[in-house]
Amino acid sequence: ISGSCLCGQVAITLFAPKPEIEICQCDMCRRWTGSNYPAVTGARFEIAGEAMIAVYRSSNWAERAFCRNCGSSLWYRFLPTGNRSFLAGLFS
């Protein structure tokens, strides 16, 4: 599946996506998205527009990425494993 941020400067292709959407409702995710964090994962991914991506280290174990231009939330990365979950709305 392929998707992009609101302005289209960052595009993400997710290969062999898992069929389920994971939901996080922790305080940080609610502040970050304004609601819950619906996320999708896959076997691998490709990202275009990396120069437009900013990363915020939100804790000792995680970072969150967003588009520098439009501010769209892009992904959550768990630092100990490097696993990323991508905001499901990017792929709508």
Side-chain angles (χ1 to χ4, degrees):
I1 60 175
S2 295
S4 67
C5 63
L6 186 60
C7 70
Q9 294 293 308
V10 179
I12 298 169
T13 302
L14 191 58
F15 298 93
K18 291 183 180 178
E20 65 272 353
I21 294 177
E22 300 170 2
I23 303 291
C24 183
Q25 299 178 34
C26 76
D27 289 345
M28 279 195 238
C29 283
R30 288 195 324 260
R31 282 189 207 111
W32 184 39
T33 64
S35 182
N36 57 37
Y37 176 66
V40 293
T41 60
R44 65 184 182 86
F45 57 86
E46 290 179 357
I47 299 169
E50 291 189 31
M52 295 305 297
I53 297 171
V55 175
Y56 172 68
R57 184 143 181 192
S58 57
S59 66
N60 290 334
W61 62 87
E63 66 183 21
R64 298 160 192 269
F66 58 95
C67 174
R68 292 179 187 273
N69 188 53
C70 66
S72 293
S73 300
L74 300 171
W75 68 74
Y76 169 93
R77 185 169 79 119
F78 185 59
L79 296 173
T81 63
N83 289 343
R84 294 184 204 203
S85 61
F86 297 90
L87 192 73
L90 299 170
F91 304 99
S92 55

